[in-house]
Amino acid sequence: MNILEVLENINAILWGAPSLILLFGTGVFLTMVLKGLQFRKLGYAFKLAFSKEKDEDSSAEGDVSNYKALMTSLAATIGNGNIAGVATAITIGGPGAIFWMWIVGLLGMATKYGEALLAMKYRVKNDRGEYAGGPMYYVERGLGPKWKWLAISFALFGAIASLGIGNSVQSNTIASVVDESFNIDGWVTGTILAALTALIIFGGVKRISSVAGFFVPIMAILYIVGSLIIIGLNVDSIIPAMKLIFTYAFSPISAVGGFSGVIVMEAVRSGVSKGIFSNEAGLGTAALIAGNAKAEHPVRQALVAMTGTFIVTIVVCTMTALVLIMTGFWDPTGGDLSGVVHDPTLEAGALTTAAFGSSLGLIGEYIVTFSVIFFGFSTIIGWYVYGYKCFEYLVGTKVTVYYGAVYILACFVGTVANLTTVWAFADMANALMMIPNLIALLLLYKVIRSETDDYFNRYLVEYEMKQAS
């Protein structure tokens, strides 16, 4: 048995039913504890995220604004999982998988809210005067020194995962797309990517957040507008597409065209697992940047952070899903809702490109091509923050420059290497990040609840009285 087979066997266990139940269950539990806060306060959360910085937050301690912290988190989260991951979920679990992706996204908003709140509450200042927060800090400071081993575990696997799924896997995907679309060798793409990555990441968290604040909205809007045009061109297929999603979320799907058919459990499993990969709620990654935000109260940043899960899953992933279903590429051999037959050899990633191209021609294909490039690169710079924070916790700030050098090298290597084993290892590291984080969230739920009550019952009341006077 080679190392790849060993890793695949480990991942089958780590990403099996118990872990998915733990993730899903944590979202359900926190939703109940917070009385559905992600639904009740969603409008208010978006107002905090996208309105001009409030007076009470402008003087707050922190390194970046609420908005820039959100954009940095989205830079790492809006990635190729929103393109290829959604296609994979549908081709494996059928259209019904999207319904369960929505469910895990909505529940995951409560999970991400809890992560960001704890990150703010238990953050510390490093010896450079910058804030540091994340699961390792709320594990150690919230649960006590006896849990430090759990904090170290999260940080170790977070640093490892950042080099894989957050870096070399993304650069490999970018190089493949660039080679296919523009016939540019991988080493050329790798050199350019490594240089751009170095230019941005060595500017620190403030430069990364500034780039993300400018870059993320543009790339997201490009992809969403392209999707909306296709949906508009196929407007008669919207209701049939939604019917497929809701019907097959609860009913077995028999073989249709080239689709082999699946049971409901496969739709659930596929939607939940790919939903988690797309929005990262439960992995603890968003908490690593949330601790740098300027906010007078932890709840303010927590509310902003949870909007990221909504944007990624309910908006971006839904756009991909509707395009795939309305154009028929959820079943590549069965044809679209008009009966057109497609190429059965297409893999999940290529399905989205083909679906866009079927409606918009070459322009549609380029929209996906450039989205893959932009999404992948944003993930690289966003995940650097995550890996850097984890590495800093393990060894301190004095040697973190070496981590940056290794990160840049991994970016280049990813463009020229076969990353099948790296993918498998990164999947394992992700799962091993998730478990310590979820344990901490469940054990610290009373802190999450009390801080939430304090904000809405005391802080907001006092602030509104102050404004009125």
Side-chain angles (χ1 to χ4, degrees):
M1 183 179 293
N2 59 37
I3 187 171
L4 178 59
E5 292 174 332
V6 171
L7 290 172
E8 288 176 342
N9 288 336
I10 292 174
N11 285 334
I13 297 172
L14 290 176
W15 286 105
S19 293
L20 295 181
I21 291 172
L22 177 62
L23 254 168
F24 197 82
T26 300
V28 172
F29 177 71
L30 290 178
T31 297
M32 295 173 63
V33 166
L34 297 169
K35 301 176 182 178
L37 175 138
Q38 70 265 47
F39 308 113
R40 295 185 292 110
K41 301 296 183 180
L42 181 59
Y44 176 62
F46 270 105
K47 182 180 178 181
L48 289 178
F50 293 101
S51 61
K52 187 177 180 180
E53 188 175 49
K54 298 294 183 182
D55 291 338
E56 72 269 30
D57 286 337
S58 61
S59 59
E61 293 189 5
D63 302 314
V64 298
S65 67
N66 283 339
Y67 173 77
K68 288 183 178 179
L70 173 63
M71 290 300 107
T72 304
S73 175
L74 285 176
T77 308
I78 298 180
N80 291 318
N82 305 121
I83 297 176
V86 173
T88 300
I90 295 177
T91 54
I92 293 175
I98 301 307
F99 174 85
W100 296 107
M101 188 176 285
W102 291 339
I103 296 298
V104 78
L106 292 171
L107 294 174
M109 290 173 67
T111 304
K112 191 161 286 191
Y113 171 89
E115 293 171 352
L117 187 155
L118 294 175
M120 286 288 293
K121 181 172 178 60
Y122 293 109
R123 67 183 182 174
V124 300
K125 268 191 176 182
N126 61 28
D127 55 18
R128 287 202 294 258
E130 298 172 340
Y131 278 97
M136 53 278 196
Y137 294 100
Y138 55 73
V139 167
E140 182 179 351
R141 303 185 71 215
L143 298 178
K146 67 180 181 180
W147 291 90
K148 188 176 177 66
W149 64 272
L150 200 64
I152 293 173
S153 297
F154 175 90
L156 176 63
F157 289 110
I160 293 172
S162 69
L163 297 174
I165 201 162
N167 185 347
S168 54
V169 167
Q170 302 296 328
S171 64
N172 184 269
T173 304
I174 293 171
S176 297
V177 167
V178 170
D179 183 34
E180 182 178 343
S181 299
F182 307 110
N183 197 30
I184 297 175
D185 291 339
W187 70 268
V188 176
T189 302
T191 301
I192 296 172
L193 276 178
L196 290 174
T197 299
L199 181 65
I200 294 171
I201 67 174
F202 283 134
V205 171
K206 290 184 179 180
R207 180 181 296 176
I208 292 171
S209 64
S210 295
V211 171
F214 172 79
F215 191 60
V216 170
I218 294 175
M219 72 177 191
I221 290 171
L222 169 69
Y223 188 73
I224 291 171
V225 168
S227 300
L228 288 174
I229 292 173
I230 294 175
I231 292 171
L233 291 173
N234 296 275
V235 66
D236 292 340
S237 298
I238 292 178
I239 293 178
M242 295 300 292
K243 184 178 179 181
L244 284 177
I245 291 173
F246 284 98
T247 298
Y248 293 126
F250 302 98
S251 302
I253 178 171
S254 58
V256 179
F259 193 78
S260 59
V262 293
I263 59 174
V264 173
M265 190 58 212
E266 188 61 34
V268 175
R269 188 202 65 78
S270 182
V272 170
S273 62
K274 298 306 176 187
I276 291 161
F277 273 115
S278 72
N279 61 49
E280 297 181 8
L283 294 186
T285 49
L288 293 165
I289 184 61
N292 289 89
K294 293 180 180 180
E296 284 289 346
H297 197 287
V299 167
R300 296 182 71 81
Q301 176 55 27
L303 289 166
V304 171
M306 81 177 188
T307 63
T309 301
F310 185 92
I311 293 169
V312 169
T313 304
I314 308 302
V315 179
V316 180
C317 288
T318 298
M319 294 293 101
T320 301
L322 287 177
V323 169
L324 287 167
I325 295 171
M326 292 169 71
T327 57
F329 281 88
W330 69 277
D331 172 20
T333 65
D336 60 18
L337 295 177
S338 301
V340 179
V341 177
H342 304 301
D343 181 1
T345 65
L346 292 175
E347 296 181 354
L351 284 176
T352 308
T353 303
F356 271 72
S358 69
S359 292
L360 300 180
L362 190 60
I363 293 177
E365 293 182 9
Y366 277 134
I367 287 175
V368 178
T369 296
F370 284 107
S371 293
V372 168
I373 295 171
F374 293 154
F375 285 7
F377 183 65
S378 73
T379 299
I380 291 172
I381 63 173
W383 262 88
Y384 169 75
V385 176
Y386 298 164
Y388 170 89
K389 295 288 185 181
C390 290
F391 194 70
E392 176 185 300
Y393 178 82
L394 293 170
V395 301
T397 59
K398 292 183 178 179
V399 295
T400 48
V401 65
Y402 298 112
Y403 177 79
V406 172
Y407 198 83
I408 293 167
L409 178 61
C411 180
F412 176 81
V413 170
T415 61
V416 296
N418 185 319
L419 293 183
T420 303
T421 302
V422 175
W423 259 111
F425 194 79
D427 284 348
M428 181 186 72
N430 272 359
L432 293 172
M433 289 171 63
M434 173 189 72
I435 294 170
N437 181 55
L438 293 179
I439 290 173
L441 287 173
L442 292 172
L443 293 178
L444 292 170
Y445 82 92
K446 290 183 179 179
V447 176
I448 297 172
R449 182 172 60 190
S450 65
E451 288 289 330
T452 301
D453 291 342
D454 177 73
Y455 179 77
F456 288 105
N457 297 332
R458 180 195 63 81
Y459 177 87
L460 268 187
V461 173
E462 292 180 359
Y463 176 73
E464 289 171 358
M465 289 177 62
K466 187 186 299 183
Q467 291 295 98
S469 63

